[in-house]
Amino acid sequence: MIDYISLEKYAKEISILFVEDDKGISKKMEILLYEIFSKIEVAFDGNEALEKYCNFYKANNEYPDLIITDIRMPNMDGIGLIKHIYKEIIIIIDNINDI
């Protein structure tokens, strides 16, 4: 059995980037996620998600804790998104080593 009180307590500080091109599914999932998490960014394709991912870092000096993404989407699919995010993380880590 899930202990929802503990889940809410620990999930409150977890940030999520949710990516789904189907607006109906996206809205339903956003409502569900807000029942547990308080920091949620929603994007409708990989390009928008990458932009929100980078803006989240600029605003918070950290990346979202969890990314939930659809695979098949217009403009950039979920695999392309994860590849771009992986490169972004490597670049920042590499820049930290140069300091």
Side-chain angles (χ1 to χ4, degrees), residues 14-41:
I14 294 174
S15 56
I16 295 182
L17 174 58
F18 178 70
V19 192
E20 170 61 59
D21 62 322
D22 183 307
K23 298 211 181 206
I25 292 172
S26 181
K27 189 62 183 169
K28 289 176 186 175
M29 281 301 297
E30 183 179 8
I31 290 166
L32 268 171
L33 290 170
Y34 268 117
E35 288 185 17
I36 301 168
F37 306 97
S38 59
K39 300 175 190 174
I40 301 169
E41 290 285 334

Side-chain angles (χ1 to χ4, degrees), residues 11-84:
K12 214 53 153 168
E13 297 303 314
I14 294 174
S15 56
I16 295 182
L17 174 58
F18 178 70
V19 192
E20 170 61 59
D21 62 322
D22 183 307
K23 298 211 181 206
I25 292 172
S26 181
K27 189 62 183 169
K28 289 176 186 175
M29 281 301 297
E30 183 179 8
I31 290 166
L32 268 171
L33 290 170
Y34 268 117
E35 288 185 17
I36 301 168
F37 306 97
S38 59
K39 300 175 190 174
I40 301 169
E41 290 285 334
V42 177
F44 298 105
D45 65 40
N47 287 337
E48 182 184 7
L50 186 58
E51 182 180 330
K52 288 190 174 199
Y53 179 83
C54 293
N55 288 340
F56 186 93
Y57 182 81
K58 289 175 188 172
N60 301 289
N61 204 29
E62 64 183 21
Y63 293 106
D65 297 310
L66 178 64
I67 299 168
I68 303 170
T69 185
D70 190 0
I71 298 297
R72 293 189 184 116
M73 298 180 291
N75 302 321
M76 181 190 310
D77 65 16
I79 302 299
L81 170 64
I82 297 305
K83 286 180 180 178
H84 275 83

